[in-house]
Amino acid sequence: MFRSIGIQYERYVYSSLLLGKDSPGKVYFCLIGMKNEFFQTKIEFLKGVGPQRAEILKKELGIFTYEDLIYHFPYRYVDRTKFYKCREASAEMPFIQVRGQLKSLITKGEKHKKYLVGRFADETGAIELKWFKGLRFLSTSLKLNTEYILFGKPNEFNGAINIIHPELELVSEQNTTLATSLQPLYNTSEKMKGRGLDSRSLNRLLKALLIQLPASLSETLPKEIIRENKLMGLREALTQIHFPESIESQLKATFRIKFEELFYIQLKLLFLKLIRTDKYKGILFDHIGENFNTFYNNHLPFQLTNAQKRVIREIREDCGSGKQMNRLLQGDVGSGKTLVAFMCMLMAADNGFQSCIMAPTEILANQHAETISKLVEGLGLKVALLTGSVKGSKRKVILEDLANQQITILVGTHALIEDEVQFKNLGFVVIDEQHRFGVEQRAKIWKKNKQVPHVLVMTATPIPRTLAMTLYGDLDYSVIDEMPPGRKPVQTVHRNDTNRLQVWGFIKEQIKQGRQIYIVYPLIEESEKMDLKNLEAGYEAVCRDFPAPEFRVSIVHGRMKAKDKDMEMQRFLRKETQIMIATTVIEVGVNVPNASVMIIENAERFGLSQLHQLRGRVGRGADQSYCILMTGAKIGNEARQRIRTMCDTNDGFVIAEADLQLRGPGDTEGTRQSGMLDLKLANITKDQQIVLLSRDSALALLKIDPTLDNPEHASVRLKLNHILHKTGNWSRIS
Ligand code: ADP
Ligand code: MG
């Protein structure tokens, strides 16, 4: 079926063809299916909006249509059934609702900076109220010694509690204005508030809109999925999420909408995967031959871990299945992913195919080239390294040898994907440290062979399961969940500048024992100049405290030429220098087994996965290794938690979870570029259960209706088409 549509893997052709035979590539606005005219109505036509407010809504919230407004969900609800006493008010409360009386109202301040101060009291105490705007209206309309309901956010000011711009509602009028006891709160901006578009008035607009919601609104989830997951219907959910009748119905509505969001992400990924496996016949690796066997029997430097064996088996099965493999390999730093990749390349060679491995930095590519050259010794396979700095005749020779298959394994950086790099017979592609590569670059790799090669994507550090599922749900998944034996966990401690002497003493001791040391400085783009200064100052200080000829110090940073960087790395590797001062250029992959101490300066400025990566540079040899996280004496709460996590565990999977909890998925390494997590309501961290449920549902649906051609699923297909078109399904290629 898919083949009959004749999908081309070209950006627009692909996405418009996916829209189906009848559509001439027109964008569907079909979030809600049939009644889309209603949802696409311009927001200015809503009663109470008009051209001026419409402008603000567009500018401030990106609300252009009825649909945009309906999908502008409350960020929280306030239980207006709950009342407190004045005495209970504290600045920690997000909101408070109190019944009491206004005891006084006084205008204070200078001419142009006048403000109004009120004293609101009940039998337990008093709260100060302050207004800076609308003073004239307030001072004439507010009544003293009359029962009010006060609502607002308590703050602490000079040791007393006050509320700025509270809501006051006469008890006698209560419930006539409130639609629900659970009051939804909406994001608004200062500008909006200035034009009377606060949370409450948005709520009012929504009420006017939802009353008009067409009764025939078509459902966007399949009936069976609604039934099995006991989901609220779409129409009810959209109403209840803005005007919940109870906490239960609000929760059910929220669940339904989150489910739908996550469901369509999964459906999209799985649908694309189906198309891919149907469209691309895989290169067949039907046997294991001499290279693999000779290596396995005679040259394997150590026993493979069970996890490594399992993953090799999984890859072998894939490549022998006739399907094109797209696999994500997760494994902690140092778990031995490179060896697995290498053995798969041997498998490709045994079947007459070339392979390549692409690394994000030159340093790492160099290292891979060295490692792999050593591993192939005795096999008679030719390995070459191609990076941006390989030029002239050397480059020419490599390109020729690639084209005539003299070279079996090519190691390199982005340079590999340039058009001039032509393989004779590329069968297996490894992408190391996946997140550093852009989507388009990965796509190019696909075109390096007539028949699409198998692709193995390896992550730098683990990603939590549900996040991986959301980001890479269209890939098959393997995990190395076991470290090579005999590794001593790196001991991690937190120190600050007052411990500097002691830390230096420790380093000297380690160097005396023949060990080597990394000292890493942050280098973050916004303040690059200052950071470089820090790094250089650090370098000078270290050189002063560790003078030659007893000590030798190397320095490597991003501003250096590749050649110089490489030279310094080589010096360190050859043990000509004992201390390596560096920025995060050494973060990824560098392997110097003799290095046993990693000192991270300004550790508070690094993210968790970066810290974990850096720490992974030590502990690669037999010796006990150490990681010292240096910070200033005062650090923020979140930074403290990151550092504590680092000191507590060496497990990359645990750290990945903690990172997700601390920062949220939007910031987790690798997700920023993807734009995949543009979720309105669902949260990958908090809604892991829904991620799993929705994936199961999407799988089940595609099992019974893989092409979504069943008329019952027409609205699902329509919505999926829309999503594919909008996001250019393109985004997930490898
Ligand atoms: P990563 O998964 O971080 O890329 P590497 O592939 O660089 O890890 O492996 C880290 C180190 O562990 C390398 O020095 C490698 O030679 C070694 N190694 C890999 N597999 C094993 C094994 N099964 N037993 C012992 N050491 C191993
Ligand atoms: Mg690696």
Side-chain angles (χ1 to χ4, degrees):
M1 144 76 198
F2 295 123
R3 215 165 292 133
S4 72
I5 302 180
I7 299 152
Q8 301 281 314
Y9 216 89
E10 299 294 337
R11 184 186 292 226
Y12 294 110
V13 185
Y14 184 32
S15 46
S16 60
L17 281 174
L18 274 172
L19 288 169
K21 280 162 264 176
D22 314 325
S23 79
K26 174 175 169 270
V27 181
Y28 272 103
F29 286 101
C30 52
L31 270 179
I32 320 289
M34 314 282 284
K35 284 289 169 188
N36 71 60
E37 319 83 62
F38 175 76
F39 283 92
Q40 291 317 308
T41 312
K42 292 204 178 89
I43 196 67
E44 42 265 56
F45 297 130
L46 183 63
K47 207 173 145 232
V49 177
Q52 275 184 358
R53 283 180 148 193
E55 261 332 287
I56 299 177
L57 285 172
K58 286 174 199 172
K59 265 213 190 99
E60 298 292 301
L61 296 179
I63 293 175
F64 289 83
T65 61
Y66 283 11
E67 179 182 328
D68 294 338
L69 181 60
I70 290 180
Y71 279 78
H72 183 65
F73 297 127
Y75 66 89
R76 59 171 289 156
Y77 301 85
V78 180
D79 185 355
R80 295 293 298 253
T81 56
K82 192 157 175 57
F83 285 88
Y84 292 88
K85 296 290 175 197
C86 282
R87 199 187 46 208
E88 293 175 277
S90 85
E92 273 88 64
M93 300 167 111
F95 292 96
I96 191 168
Q97 181 167 251
V98 189
R99 206 186 276 257
Q101 296 182 354
L102 205 53
K103 291 294 176 194
S104 67
L105 201 58
I106 307 163
T107 307
K108 288 190 176 173
E110 307 281 301
K111 231 185 192 173
H112 295 293
K113 285 184 188 164
K114 282 195 176 148
Y115 59 98
L116 200 58
V117 179
R119 210 176 93 87
F120 185 88
D122 64 6
E123 69 279 10
T124 67
I127 297 174
E128 188 181 74
L129 309 181
K130 269 189 187 165
W131 291 269
F132 299 95
K133 283 192 179 137
L135 307 191
R136 191 178 305 163
F137 172 74
L138 286 164
S139 47
T140 53
S141 62
L142 287 174
K143 299 179 182 134
L144 295 183
N145 301 316
T146 314
E147 286 288 312
Y148 272 106
I149 291 169
L150 164 74
F151 180 79
K153 160 84 188 104
N155 306 295
E156 199 171 318
F157 185 69
N158 285 343
I161 295 291
N162 73 17
I163 297 180
I164 294 164
H165 281 240
E167 285 177 27
L168 281 177
E169 198 165 12
L170 283 169
V171 169
S172 53
E173 287 174 3
Q174 210 226 341
N175 281 337
T176 55
T177 52
L178 289 177
T180 160
S181 57
L182 277 185
Q183 186 184 334
L185 299 180
Y186 296 93
N187 274 324
T188 58
S189 65
E190 282 307 313
K191 217 179 203 161
M192 290 174 64
K193 282 179 199 151
R195 301 289 183 89
L197 274 172
D198 58 5
S199 175
R200 267 198 157 189
S201 57
L202 274 183
N203 195 230
R204 237 172 272 133
L205 293 179
L206 272 156
K207 193 170 187 182
L209 183 49
L210 287 167
I211 287 169
Q212 304 175 48
L213 202 60
S216 58
L217 189 67
S218 63
E219 185 47 70
T220 42
L221 286 173
K223 278 197 206 80
E224 57 270 31
I225 288 180
I226 296 207
R227 198 174 51 238
E228 269 159 34
N229 295 283
K230 301 193 177 67
L231 298 175
M232 194 179 254
L234 178 63
R235 192 175 195 284
E236 198 187 350
L238 290 177
T239 313
Q240 289 294 327
I241 198 158
H242 292 290
F243 298 97
E245 277 162 17
S246 62
I247 292 179
E248 289 73 41
S249 61
Q250 178 257 313
L251 290 174
K252 282 199 89 168
T254 306
F255 185 88
R256 143 82 205 211
I257 289 166
K258 285 179 174 178
F259 185 98
E260 177 162 348
E261 260 189 310
L262 295 169
F263 172 81
Y264 274 97
I265 289 180
Q266 293 302 330
L267 190 67
K268 170 183 157 178
L269 293 168
L270 294 166
F271 188 74
L272 289 176
K273 183 175 167 186
L274 263 183
I275 293 177
R276 201 188 64 223
T277 39
D278 196 76
K279 156 110 176 119
Y280 299 108
K281 256 186 84 192
I283 296 170
L284 196 63
F285 293 172
D286 60 1
H287 70 286
I288 292 286
E290 207 184 309
N291 288 308
F292 189 97
N293 285 330
T294 310
F295 178 77
Y296 189 77
N297 296 323
N298 307 330
H299 301 292
L300 197 61
F302 23 63
Q303 278 242 302
L304 294 176
T305 61
N306 285 328
Q308 284 172 317
K309 281 187 200 158
R310 187 187 62 236
V311 172
I312 292 173
R313 209 178 313 124
E314 284 166 355
I315 294 171
R316 191 180 147 187
E317 270 164 26
D318 262 15
C319 296
S321 72
K323 287 188 181 146
Q324 188 259 345
M325 180 186 80
N326 255 281
R327 187 169 280 277
L328 176 73
L329 174 56
Q330 282 224 62
D332 207 346
V333 189
S335 61
K337 296 185 286 285
T338 317
L339 190 64
V340 167
F342 172 72
M343 291 183 69
C344 295
M345 293 179 174
L346 293 182
M347 196 157 67
D350 281 339
N351 286 275
F353 287 91
Q354 294 169 293
S355 323
C356 67
I357 175 164
M358 199 156 60
T361 64
E362 286 214 9
I363 293 183
L364 187 55
N366 286 343
Q367 284 236 321
H368 276 327
E370 253 171 58
T371 311
I372 290 174
S373 302
K374 258 198 218 115
L375 290 170
V376 294
E377 272 170 24
L379 295 179
L381 295 176
K382 189 161 172 188
V383 177
L385 170 69
L386 187 71
T387 63
S389 33
V390 178
K391 294 208 170 90
S393 58
K394 216 172 154 192
R395 189 179 188 91
K396 215 173 133 223
V397 172
I398 291 181
L399 293 178
E400 276 170 21
D401 284 353
L402 262 187
N404 60 30
Q405 212 176 346
Q406 290 288 310
I407 292 170
T408 311
I409 296 176
L410 183 66
V411 183
T413 52
H414 296 72
L416 288 193
I417 51 180
E418 280 164 26
D419 289 336
E420 60 166 6
V421 181
Q422 294 291 338
F423 295 79
K424 171 129 183 259
N425 207 355
L426 179 65
F428 197 85
V429 174
V430 182
I431 301 177
D432 197 11
E433 323 296 4
Q434 188 274 337
H435 63 262
R436 304 258 174 136
F437 279 103
V439 160
E440 311 254 332
Q441 294 165 327
R442 277 182 275 142
K444 275 189 158 178
I445 270 289
W446 279 54
K447 299 189 179 149
K448 290 277 169 206
N449 203 53
K450 269 191 239 84
Q451 205 174 346
V452 179
H454 298 298
V455 179
L456 181 69
V457 173
M458 307 200 291
T459 58
T461 43
I463 313 169
R465 179 152 165 258
T466 49
L467 185 60
M469 220 174 242
T470 312
L471 289 173
Y472 310 108
D474 54 342
L475 308 188
D476 291 306
Y477 177 84
S478 286
V479 57
I480 303 186
D481 48 8
E482 183 186 355
M483 283 298 203
R487 290 273 167 84
K488 292 198 184 87
V490 179
Q491 280 182 25
T492 306
V493 292
H494 176 201
R495 295 283 180 267
N496 63 42
D497 284 328
T498 54
N499 311 119
R500 176 86 44 197
L501 267 179
Q502 189 199 344
V503 171
W504 271 191
F506 178 71
I507 295 182
K508 283 186 179 152
E509 196 121 310
Q510 286 284 311
I511 293 175
K512 267 198 204 117
Q513 292 174 27
R515 302 284 96 80
Q516 287 166 288
I517 319 291
Y518 291 108
I519 305 179
V520 176
Y521 286 82
L523 194 58
I524 294 167
E525 272 157 48
E526 305 102 60
S527 55
E528 207 172 325
K529 266 199 192 130
M530 215 181 79
D531 281 335
L532 203 59
K533 246 198 197 146
N534 269 347
L535 177 82
E536 276 161 5
Y539 175 64
E540 277 163 27
V542 171
C543 288
R544 209 170 39 237
D545 294 340
F546 296 84
E550 196 184 352
F551 302 101
R552 304 261 174 201
V553 184
S554 277
I555 179 165
V556 169
H557 59 78
R559 288 275 183 90
M560 284 163 71
K561 287 206 185 97
K563 201 175 77 211
D564 299 335
K565 263 193 275 191
D566 193 46
M567 205 175 75
E568 283 295 292
M569 279 310 300
Q570 292 302 335
R571 267 168 25 104
F572 189 61
L573 204 59
R574 288 196 300 262
K575 301 188 193 169
E576 290 167 20
T577 59
Q578 295 95 21
I579 299 177
M580 163 65 78
I581 308 259
T583 58
T584 44
V585 290
I586 64 141
E587 175 190 342
V588 173
V590 174
N591 193 18
V592 183
N594 190 51
S596 66
V597 182
M598 167 61 67
I599 295 177
I600 303 175
E601 298 286 349
N602 296 112
E604 72 274 15
R605 283 177 54 188
F606 290 91
L608 258 178
S609 71
Q610 224 178 0
L611 289 172
H612 182 61
Q613 262 289 325
L614 286 169
R615 178 169 61 183
R617 301 307 107 214
V618 296
R620 303 190 145 232
D623 305 296
Q624 176 61 56
S625 296
Y626 305 89
C627 175
I628 303 174
L629 304 171
M630 300 295 295
T631 68
K634 266 195 181 162
I635 53 173
N637 255 344
E638 211 195 290
R640 190 167 294 282
Q641 279 194 52
R642 283 200 295 271
I643 289 182
R644 192 172 306 145
T645 306
M646 286 296 292
C647 296
D648 284 352
T649 182
N650 273 292
D651 185 333
F653 287 91
V654 174
I655 289 171
E657 279 292 343
D659 196 26
L660 188 59
Q661 302 288 346
L662 272 176
R663 293 204 289 176
D667 282 331
T668 311
E669 198 120 10
T671 66
R672 240 161 295 153
Q673 66 173 28
S674 73
M676 280 280 296
L677 292 178
D678 191 13
L679 295 167
K680 277 206 149 70
L681 209 57
N683 176 318
I684 303 292
T685 320
K686 294 185 185 130
D687 301 320
Q688 302 202 9
Q689 205 55 38
I690 314 180
V691 174
L692 300 177
L693 274 177
S694 68
R695 184 168 175 93
D696 284 348
S697 294
L699 272 170
L701 176 65
L702 289 175
K703 204 162 186 185
I704 54 166
D705 186 9
T707 54
L708 297 177
D709 279 341
N710 183 335
E712 272 200 17
H713 301 141
S715 65
V716 177
R717 176 66 197 239
L718 216 57
K719 178 162 174 171
L720 181 64
N721 282 346
H722 171 65
I723 293 169
L724 287 172
H725 191 97
K726 200 173 66 179
T727 54
N729 50 56
W730 188 242
S731 58
R732 316 279 351 132
I733 287 147
S734 55

